[in-house]
């Protein structure tokens, strides 16, 4: 696991141009959920295009520890599930490494079982708040037998003989919390309801329906969504095709926009409306991004993105858009560093509790590489430098602190591709959690990372 291997500093230098076609790895959110539901549902689930990053492999091992069988058939993963309600007690603690999604969703999935489960993670995950999941689980009757101060890992849960359904309003905009409650509802008699004031990524709802759960979603005129799931129903194995991850496509996309003379194609990128905030924003900034060949694949809209280098201009990104691009602000800040004028990003409070305090990590990295920026409680202002002159940092060999955060590492390596001087990050190994092969893919397009 990255936290246990030694740090691997990487440097990224100005690229001449980026050209080519490259498919980024499978979507992380869908990959986790496919393994969880495939491991739970009766019968066989075939998963094509699974992201084989460390985060997802930890979820795979976890599902095997509770009774799911898994093997590879060519490029596909075949899961044989236990059947809903029939997961087995594991022998030891689960290790989730860096993954908030793996850990929080599994707390919901296993918390409603009448056996103890223990959740562990790396230094980054162990510093992240888990009360947002523990609180609704407690309301369902789950006991928290052990936790570190402030609801931190390691945590041990013990479900009661039978959990009680709840009707819960999720006040933090979090798809992970929503999913954890719905997953706990799967092994709970009656109907478990979740209300979210605004749409967050809805892969859980779509996939639960696909696996045969009795699930209903209603959306009010003000955007409030009510999701109900009937517990103890039958789930049946499915074929799942994992589309390319828009959160990973974000890196070559921004790189192509800011490196002169570039044109790249990113095929099969998922275009779920709760995930496309960055594409919308970059287009508003003047980014030349064409979406071609739009089609449906396994219940999600996908398309190919053709991205050409562009003269970007600073804008204000509306706070309401934050949920649809929450993982993309670090790389947006990099795009903003090469835009004309100022870019304002607001409504960013959730960035404080990601794999790192992303708002602070981005601001420190920008400052270190010569980008004027201002950081507030939940906002960031970036002043761009379109030609990249004076950006980057080699004179004192200082490296950007990535704080075990894959997206901080990748964002700053993208920055180096258009900066006057190289950009160095203190650890590239953490990128294995979500984007194995990142360096080769970017170098294959014309990057110079090493
Ligand atoms: C995810 C939800 C988001 C996102 C994370 C993946 C998911 O987290 O940042 O990378 O798959 O549900 P939050 O639910 O904390 O916003």
């Amino acid at each position: 696991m990255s936290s246990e291997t030694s740090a691997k500093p990487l440097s990224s230098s100005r690229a001449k141009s980026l050209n080519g076609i490259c498919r980024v790895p499978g979507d992380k959110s869908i990959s986790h959920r496919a393994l969880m539901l495939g491991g739970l549902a009766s019968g066989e689930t075939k998963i094509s295009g699974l992201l084989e990053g460390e985060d997802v492999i930890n979820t795979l091992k976890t599902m095997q520890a509770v009774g799911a069988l898994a093997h590879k058939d060519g490029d596909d993963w075949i899961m044989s599930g236990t059947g809903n309600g029939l997961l087995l007690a594991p022998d030891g603690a689960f290790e989730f490494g860096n993954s908030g999604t793996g850990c929080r969703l599994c707390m919901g999935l296993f918390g409603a079982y009448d056996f103890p489960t223990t959740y562990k993670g790396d230094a980054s995950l162990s510093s992240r708040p888990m009360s947002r999941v523990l609180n609704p689980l407690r309301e369902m009757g789950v006991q928290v037998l052990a936790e570190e101060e402030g609801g931190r890992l390691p945590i041990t849960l013990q479900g009661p003989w039978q959990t009680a359904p709840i009707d819960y309003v999720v006040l933090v905009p979090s798809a992970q919390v929503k999913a954890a409650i719905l997953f706990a509802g799967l092994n709970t008699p009656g109907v478990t309801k979740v209300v979210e004031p605004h749409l967050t990524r809805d892969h859980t709802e779509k996939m639960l329906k696909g696996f045969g759960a009795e699930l209903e979603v209603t959306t009010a005129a003000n955007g409030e969504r009510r999701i109900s799931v009937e517990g103890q129903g039958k789930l049946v194995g499915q074929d799942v095709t994992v589309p390319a991850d828009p959160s990973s496509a974000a890196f070559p996309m921004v790189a192509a926009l800011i490196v002169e003379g570039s044109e790249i194609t990113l095929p099969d990128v998922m275009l779920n409306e709760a995930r496309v905030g960055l594409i919308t924003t970059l287009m508003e900034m003047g980014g030349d991004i064409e979406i071609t060949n739009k089609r449906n694949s396994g219940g999600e809209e996908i398309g190919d993105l053709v991205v050409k280098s562009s003269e970007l201009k600073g804008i204000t990104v509306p706070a309401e858009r934050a949920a649809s691009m929450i993982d993309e602000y670090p790389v947006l800040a990099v795009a903003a560093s090469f835009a004309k004028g100022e870019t304002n990003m607001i409504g960013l409070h959730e960035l404080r509790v990601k794999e790192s305090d992303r708002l602070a990590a981005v601001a420190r990295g920008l400052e270190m590489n010569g980008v004027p920026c201002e950081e507030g409680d939940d906002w960031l202002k970036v002043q761009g430098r379109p030609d990249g002159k004076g950006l980057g940092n080699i004179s004192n060999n200082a490296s950007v602190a990535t704080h075990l955060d894959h997206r901080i590492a990748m964002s700053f390596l993208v920055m180096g591709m258009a900066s006057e001087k190289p950009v160095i990050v203190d650890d590239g190994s953490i990128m294995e959690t979500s984007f194995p092969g990142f360096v080769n893919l970017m170098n294959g397009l014309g990057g110079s990372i090493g």
Side-chain angles (χ1 to χ4, degrees):
M1 229 161 282
S2 297
S3 52
E4 287 153 16
T5 53
S6 52
K8 184 176 171 210
L10 284 174
S11 168
S12 176
S13 309
R14 196 173 170 97
K16 282 208 183 72
S17 68
L18 302 178
N19 296 95
I21 303 178
C22 61
R23 192 192 193 275
V24 300
D27 187 70
K28 185 151 71 72
S29 296
I30 292 191
S31 294
H32 280 297
R33 286 160 174 83
L35 291 173
M36 290 174 195
L37 290 177
L40 181 68
S42 310
E44 220 172 74
T45 289
K46 181 170 106 178
I47 310 171
S48 313
L50 186 83
L51 165 65
E52 294 181 3
E54 285 175 3
D55 279 8
V56 174
I57 297 303
N58 283 327
T59 290
L60 172 67
K61 290 181 187 158
T62 299
M63 291 312 297
Q64 288 173 311
V66 292
L69 302 177
H71 68 272
K72 233 180 150 176
D73 180 14
D75 288 340
D76 300 331
W77 280 92
I78 311 293
M79 303 284 293
S80 295
T82 57
N84 187 24
L86 298 173
L87 293 175
L88 305 176
D91 276 343
F94 306 120
E95 291 286 351
F96 287 98
N98 195 251
S99 179
T101 307
C103 182
R104 290 183 175 136
L105 269 57
C106 282
M107 284 180 170
L109 197 58
F110 310 148
Y113 281 77
D114 177 11
F115 50 68
T117 44
T118 297
Y119 304 78
K120 291 184 171 174
D122 68 7
S124 154
L125 187 57
S126 301
S127 71
R128 297 179 68 183
M130 296 295 158
S131 302
R132 50 182 62 198
V133 171
L134 300 182
N135 291 340
L137 290 181
R138 282 189 173 105
E139 284 191 24
M140 297 178 87
V142 178
Q143 287 182 70
V144 179
L145 297 183
E147 65 184 304
E148 286 301 308
E149 213 185 311
R152 304 291 200 275
L153 299 185
I155 285 173
T156 300
L157 302 180
Q158 163 79 56
W161 173 69
Q162 199 167 65
T163 34
I166 53 170
D167 189 338
Y168 197 85
V169 182
V170 181
L171 289 174
V172 276
S174 168
Q176 292 176 357
V177 177
K178 169 176 66 176
I181 300 168
L182 293 173
F183 279 178
L186 293 176
N187 195 34
T188 302
V191 178
T192 295
K193 293 183 190 148
V194 180
V195 177
E196 60 177 4
H198 302 288
L199 175 72
T200 62
R201 65 190 71 195
D202 59 354
H203 311 304
T204 307
E205 296 91 304
K206 285 185 169 170
M207 291 181 77
L208 276 173
K209 269 196 171 168
F211 276 80
E214 295 282 331
L215 180 130
E216 268 178 34
V217 183
T218 57
T219 307
N222 64 0
E224 182 182 274
R225 296 176 80 242
R226 300 193 134 257
I227 307 129
S228 318
V229 70
E230 173 89 47
Q232 301 185 324
K234 185 165 178 167
L235 300 178
V236 182
Q238 298 294 312
D239 284 1
V240 180
T241 301
V242 184
D245 192 331
S247 299
S248 296
F251 300 104
M253 181 160 60
V254 168
L257 290 175
I258 62 176
V259 173
E260 251 180 76
S262 301
E263 174 169 347
I264 64 164
T265 301
L266 301 165
D268 306 339
V269 177
M270 181 166 58
L271 299 169
N272 179 305
E273 66 165 316
R275 301 287 300 279
V276 291
L278 179 72
I279 298 178
T280 309
T281 302
L282 291 171
M283 284 177 168
E284 283 176 8
M285 292 172 78
D288 185 345
I289 303 170
E290 198 192 338
I291 304 175
T292 62
N293 198 15
K294 265 196 191 174
R295 58 212 187 271
N296 192 284
S297 169
E300 292 287 358
E301 186 169 34
I302 67 169
D304 304 339
L305 306 182
V306 181
V307 189
K308 296 180 188 157
S309 34
S310 307
E311 284 178 15
L312 300 177
K313 60 177 194 312
I315 60 163
T316 294
V317 187
E320 311 81 76
R321 201 177 286 162
S324 69
M325 52 180 294
I326 196 65
D327 290 336
E328 280 69 80
Y329 282 99
V331 79
L332 174 64
V334 169
S337 305
F338 296 89
K340 191 168 175 216
E342 192 173 86
T343 299
N344 293 310
M345 296 164 241
I346 51 180
L348 307 186
H349 40 90
E350 277 296 301
L351 288 198
R352 298 271 181 211
V353 290
K354 292 294 176 187
E355 284 83 330
S356 66
D357 174 346
R358 279 193 178 148
L359 207 37
V362 167
R364 297 298 82 73
L366 293 180
E367 284 161 6
M368 174 182 286
N369 289 289
V371 182
C373 67
E374 221 183 303
E375 172 198 356
D377 270 2
D378 68 346
W379 54 265
L380 182 69
K381 259 187 217 172
V382 177
Q383 190 67 46
R385 175 83 216 210
D387 58 7
K389 277 254 157 57
L391 304 190
N393 183 340
I394 194 76
S395 47
N396 56 4
N397 247 4
S399 57
V400 174
T402 52
H403 301 287
L404 287 177
D405 189 331
H406 52 133
R407 297 198 202 281
I408 298 298
M410 291 186 277
S411 298
F412 281 97
L413 291 172
V414 167
M415 184 173 199
M417 299 174 95
S419 303
E420 185 185 3
K421 301 170 196 163
V423 172
I424 307 167
V425 301
D426 67 356
D427 183 18
S429 65
I430 194 67
M431 301 187 299
E432 290 300 311
T433 59
S434 73
F435 200 150
F438 173 82
V439 171
N440 285 344
L441 184 143
M442 296 302 262
N443 287 349
L445 291 172
S448 176
I449 303 175

